[in-house]
Amino acid sequence: MKKFNQLIVFLLLMSFCSSSEEVSQEIQNEETDDVIVFTQGLNKSSAEYVSNWNKLISEISNDDDTLLYFSINPDNVRWTSPERTVLFYQFGNSENTSTSFVINLLVQDDDVYGVEFFSPVVDDDISSQRTKLFFLILIAMADDTLDKDGREAVLSKLGLYDNVSQPNQIGGSLTQNNIRYIIEPMVDNGLLIGLNFYTTFISN
């Protein structure tokens, strides 16, 4: 079982690394002088977060399928409780799949101070590429001062590409430019079933 777990972790990391060039190209497609024209969403209103997210998606891709999958439909964003502190959205509802990417916007006084994102771990290249692109988008939405190398550096510092032997060793935490980033694994019976990615604005 231990060797099997090591193989799963190895395949996951190889899949992330092998898709890095393709995903990096995706997020650079519409860049001019390595700068994407958009505004971050953290510490903004929930409406601004969704609007800025969709603007970012439109900046990085002209492909209709990519725009459809990665964009947030404002009509389908829902509060999780009457207290209105968490907004929930699920990506890929149009696809007939048992796994999906989920984002929670943490709201206080109508400002998004944090994001919780769940990515399923599925053994296929498309899911891995989508996970990588979602992570890069989340970093960009947290800090619009970072260029493409800066966004990649955040993932590297969070340990996403580290060579580990056990699923629970994946991930880490980083605080940079008043933003706290955390990647943590979800492990069930020794198997990696998902990754949680958190971005939080830290006030001075």
Side-chain angles (χ1 to χ4, degrees):
M1 179 62 73
K2 182 177 180 181
K3 289 184 177 180
F4 180 74
N5 287 342
Q6 290 176 338
L7 177 61
I8 291 295
V9 174
F10 175 76
L11 289 175
L12 173 69
L13 295 176
M14 286 299 293
S15 185
F16 272 126
C17 292
S18 64
S19 63
S20 294
E21 183 175 348
E22 181 175 346
V23 174
S24 295
Q25 184 61 45
E26 182 81 21
I27 205 168
Q28 295 172 42
N29 277 345
E30 299 299 323
E31 293 189 22
T32 303
D33 296 329
D34 296 332
V35 175
I36 305 174
V37 182
F38 76 105
T39 304
Q40 68 189 51
L42 279 189
N43 208 27
K44 304 286 180 63
S45 71
S46 55
E48 286 179 289
Y49 191 100
V50 172
S51 176
N52 292 344
W53 176 288
N54 289 337
K55 181 177 180 181
L56 173 57
I57 300 303
S58 68
E59 287 283 328
I60 65 177
S61 179
N62 291 319
D63 178 72
D64 289 341
D65 290 338
T66 300
L67 290 172
L68 177 63
Y69 191 90
F70 287 90
S71 296
I72 296 177
N73 183 344
D75 294 335
N76 293 335
V77 178
R78 296 286 181 265
W79 292 106
T80 62
S81 68
E83 290 75 20
R84 297 190 170 221
T85 57
V86 180
L87 281 165
F88 166 89
Y89 185 79
Q90 181 173 321
F91 295 89
N93 282 329
S94 60
E95 294 188 355
N96 185 19
T97 177
S98 59
T99 59
S100 60
F101 298 88
V102 173
I103 189 170
N104 288 326
L105 304 181
L106 310 182
V107 181
Q108 185 175 36
D109 298 327
D110 197 39
D111 285 341
V112 178
Y113 69 89
V115 173
E116 300 173 341
F117 184 83
F118 169 75
S119 168
V121 171
V122 184
D123 188 17
D124 67 77
D125 288 341
I126 292 178
S127 294
S128 294
Q129 291 170 14
R130 284 175 172 174
T131 298
K132 176 71 182 298
L133 183 52
F134 269 123
F135 284 2
L136 289 172
I137 293 168
L138 288 163
I139 294 169
M141 288 298 294
D143 185 355
D144 57 14
T145 67
L146 298 176
D147 59 13
K148 64 181 184 296
D149 292 332
R151 294 187 289 269
E152 282 285 352
V154 169
L155 289 183
S156 180
K157 291 174 183 177
L158 287 172
L160 191 62
Y161 308 128
D162 290 352
N163 185 15
V164 299
S165 60
Q166 297 296 326
N168 57 13
Q169 296 174 333
I170 295 175
S173 63
L174 168 71
T175 300
Q176 177 178 296
N177 296 342
N178 292 336
I179 307 296
R180 179 177 296 130
Y181 305 91
I182 299 174
I183 289 181
E184 63 179 22
M186 293 187 65
V187 180
D188 183 31
N189 292 324
L191 295 178
L192 184 67
I193 62 172
L195 293 172
N196 287 323
F197 189 17
Y198 306 94
T199 61
T200 309
F201 176 77
I202 309 298
S203 60
N204 291 323

